[in-house]
């Protein structure tokens, strides 16, 4: 089996890894998808379901991927290939996911960067116009590309500074700042008329909303939010030191993701409740419209605090987007570097060229190529990339990974790696999860999301 190269980058310690992995997990999905799902599926009922899934299914797969990375000292392709060339295709599929996601993620990151600046330059009133400002921006032939490139430049600079000099230092600043801002804005939002009703709706379980659709939606959200099945955790695991505990690390990563999701939901559902007055109205707003259209109408009513709160909120979202984009880009660099056996600088140059070109192409789906509607009227190239990567490819990769570890190399190969630094008392339960439960859940996610896309299932 391939051994870890002594020249490979590594984290400075366990908490550096935890912060980096948590930063990868905390992203745009926490900020606009989690609150919408919580509002749709009975608030506290969704929260409880999500929490159970994170600390069972979620941490099990996190442990598998990070242990696989640490055991092999390779990114996704090399990790699977080290057990035999015939298994390299699983790593190839896993590696394809960040290559698809990173360009369009940077486009959305550009939107967030624009809005962060716009609160200072244009003022809150200009952004609270029912969506005209947002629509004009994303369809522009010049400005949307400029802000995409600005966001990309920040990401590339951090990654260029290396694992310790760039990624660790950036996360050490952005993650605490993100959490402090989220808590502060949430507390301020709760002082607004009607916000407490939103908070109660969000926190109180409505068990009448419990359904198979809720469980599937929570599974899908957890899957994407924890950066599973996209090669990130394998790459980050390959940078881990042998003495750092894998079990305690993945539990803390799950805790970070759950905590930030909870705070984001409290903030956004309470704020949106102020504007729309009911949980059903909030649930009707998903994705970009909730963040870029609905919330600016809430912030503009905050009087003298509108500019400050709007700016801080989008700065918070920007930090979340940056931390995830950095992890995606680092994963691409690691894949290219391991695959080509080249220097890190050359690998980064190849990644930059790819992400910029692919990002420009996908962004054209809102302007020059807007006539292409791959998933039906109103859809874009970004929607296609998002659907294929998140709803199709990631579940397939997760299924193949579980089968590979559970039935081909056997769970003991991973258990032995975990026990290098941890007792792993729950190895038996983990084995059952990876061999039997996780594959079934992943198949359910795949079938449900594809069926929903083509109108056979409602989510």
């Amino acid at each position: 089996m391939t051994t870890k190269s002594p020249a490979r980058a590594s984290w400075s310690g366990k908490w550096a890894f935890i912060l980096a992995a948590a930063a990868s997990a905390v992203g745009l999905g926490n900020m606009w998808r989690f609150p919408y799902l919580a509002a749709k599926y009975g608030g506290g009922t969704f929260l409880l379901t999500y929490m159970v899934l994170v600390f069972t299914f979620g941490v099990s797969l996190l442990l598998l991927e990070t242990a696989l990375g640490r055991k092999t000292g390779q990114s996704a392709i090399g990790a699977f290939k080290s057990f035999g060339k015939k298994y390299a295709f699983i790593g190839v599929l896993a590696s394809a996911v960040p290559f698809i996601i990173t360009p369009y993620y940077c486009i959305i990151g550009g939107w967030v960067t624009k809005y962060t600046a716009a609160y200072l330059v244009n003022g809150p009133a200009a952004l609270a116009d029912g969506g005209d400002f947002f629509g004009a921006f994303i369809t522009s032939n010049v400005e949307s590309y400029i802000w995409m490139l600005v966001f990309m430049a920040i990401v590339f600079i951090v990654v260029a500074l290396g694992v310790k000099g760039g990624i660790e230092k950036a996360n050490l600043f952005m993650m605490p700042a993100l959490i402090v801002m989220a808590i502060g804005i949430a507390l301020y939002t709760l002082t607004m008329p009607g916000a407490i009703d939103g908070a109660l709706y969000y926190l109180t379980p409505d068990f009448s909303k419990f359904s198979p659709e809720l469980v599937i939606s929570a599974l899908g959200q957890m899957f994407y939010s924890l950066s599973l099945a996209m090669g990130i955790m394998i790459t980050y695991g390959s940078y881990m030191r042998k003495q750092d505990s894998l079990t305690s690390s993945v539990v803390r990563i799950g805790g970070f993701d759950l905590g930030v999701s909870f705070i984001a939901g409290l903030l956004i559902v309470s704020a949106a409740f102020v504007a729309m007055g009911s949980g059903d109205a909030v649930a009707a707003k998903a994705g970009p419209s909730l963040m870029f259209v609905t919330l600016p109408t809430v912030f503009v009513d905050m009087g003298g605090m509108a500019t400050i709160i709007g700016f801080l909120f989008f700065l918070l979202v920007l930090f979340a987007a940056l931390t995830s984009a950095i992890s995606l880009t680092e994963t691409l660099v690691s894949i290219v570097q391991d695959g080509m056996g080249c220097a890190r600088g050359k690998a980064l140059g190849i990644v930059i060229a790819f992400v910029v070109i692919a990002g420009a192409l996908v962004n054209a789906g809102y302007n020059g190529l807007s006539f292409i509607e791959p998933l039906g009227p109103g859809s874009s190239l970004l929607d296609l990339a998002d659907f294929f990567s998140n709803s199709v490819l990631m579940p397939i990769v997760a299924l193949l990974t579980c089968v590979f570890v559970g039935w081909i190399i056997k769970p003991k190969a991973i258990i032995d790696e975990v026990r290098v630094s941890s007792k792993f008392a729950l190895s038996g339960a983990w084995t059952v999860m990876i061999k039997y439960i996780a594959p079934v859940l992943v198949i359910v996610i795949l079938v449900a999301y594809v069926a929903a896309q083509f109108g056979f299932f409602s989510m």
Side-chain angles (χ1 to χ4, degrees), residues 181-204:
M181 284 191 292
I183 293 173
I185 299 171
L187 292 175
Y188 182 83
T189 301
L190 290 175
T191 65
M192 299 180 65
I196 294 297
D197 293 332
L200 290 174
Y201 174 85
Y202 175 68
L203 296 172
T204 305

Side-chain angles (χ1 to χ4, degrees), residues 11 34 36 38 45 49 66-67 196 228 250 255 265 268 284 309 317-318 329 372 401 415 441 457:
W11 305 114
F34 185 90
Y36 148 72
T45 307
T49 305
T66 52
I196 294 297
L228 298 172
V250 297
I268 292 174
I309 296 297
V317 179
L318 176 59
T329 305
I372 300 176
T401 302
I415 292 171
L441 293 177
F457 181 74

Side-chain angles (χ1 to χ4, degrees), residues 92-310:
V92 171
L93 291 176
S95 298
V97 176
F99 273 98
I100 297 170
I101 291 178
T102 308
Y104 80 74
Y105 201 93
C106 287
I107 293 170
I108 302 172
W111 300 351
V112 177
T113 311
K114 164 65 178 179
Y115 265 61
T116 305
Y119 266 93
L120 300 179
V121 176
N122 302 90
L127 282 64
D129 62 356
D132 291 342
F133 183 93
F134 180 62
F137 166 63
I138 66 171
T139 58
S140 64
N141 287 313
V142 177
E143 192 178 13
S144 61
Y145 293 88
I146 291 174
W147 287 102
M148 176 193 76
L149 292 171
V150 169
F151 181 85
M152 286 180 177
I154 299 171
V155 172
F156 296 149
I157 289 170
V158 172
V159 174
L161 292 172
V163 172
K164 292 180 181 177
I167 299 172
E168 281 192 19
K169 289 183 178 179
N171 290 331
L172 188 62
F173 167 72
M174 285 192 286
M175 282 300 292
L178 184 156
I179 293 169
V180 169
M181 284 191 292
I183 293 173
I185 299 171
L187 292 175
Y188 182 83
T189 301
L190 290 175
T191 65
M192 299 180 65
I196 294 297
D197 293 332
L200 290 174
Y201 174 85
Y202 175 68
L203 296 172
T204 305
D206 179 359
F207 292 109
S208 68
K209 296 284 184 75
F210 187 82
S211 65
E213 291 85 353
L214 181 155
V215 177
I216 293 168
S217 295
L219 272 170
Q221 169 65 18
M222 178 219 67
F223 204 76
Y224 179 69
S225 184
L226 289 177
S227 299
L228 298 172
M230 57 178 76
I232 292 176
M233 291 305 164
I234 295 177
T235 297
Y236 275 19
S238 74
Y239 299 156
M240 280 192 77
R241 304 181 307 178
K242 288 290 186 180
Q243 67 265 36
D244 294 332
S245 171
L246 283 163
T247 52
S248 63
S249 295
V250 297
V251 169
R252 288 182 174 117
I253 293 164
F256 266 110
D257 174 73
L258 179 64
V260 174
S261 294
F262 172 80
I263 297 168
L266 180 63
L267 188 170
I268 292 174
V269 172
S270 300
F273 221 85
V274 173
M276 292 177 281
S278 73
D280 291 336
V282 177
K285 299 289 185 180
S289 64
L290 177 61
M291 182 172 295
F292 296 104
V293 178
T294 303
L295 289 180
T297 64
V298 177
F299 297 148
V300 78
D301 291 331
M302 293 183 176
M305 290 295 291
T307 299
I308 296 172
I309 296 297

Side-chain angles (χ1 to χ4, degrees), residues 17-57:
F17 163 70
I18 292 170
L19 268 181
S24 174
V26 174
L28 293 171
N30 302 73
M31 297 299 162
W32 72 29
R33 194 166 183 271
F34 185 90
Y36 148 72
L37 290 173
K40 182 177 181 180
Y41 292 112
T45 307
F46 183 83
L47 291 177
L48 290 173
T49 305
Y50 187 77
M51 181 175 66
V52 170
L53 290 173
V54 165
F55 289 113
T56 53
F57 179 68

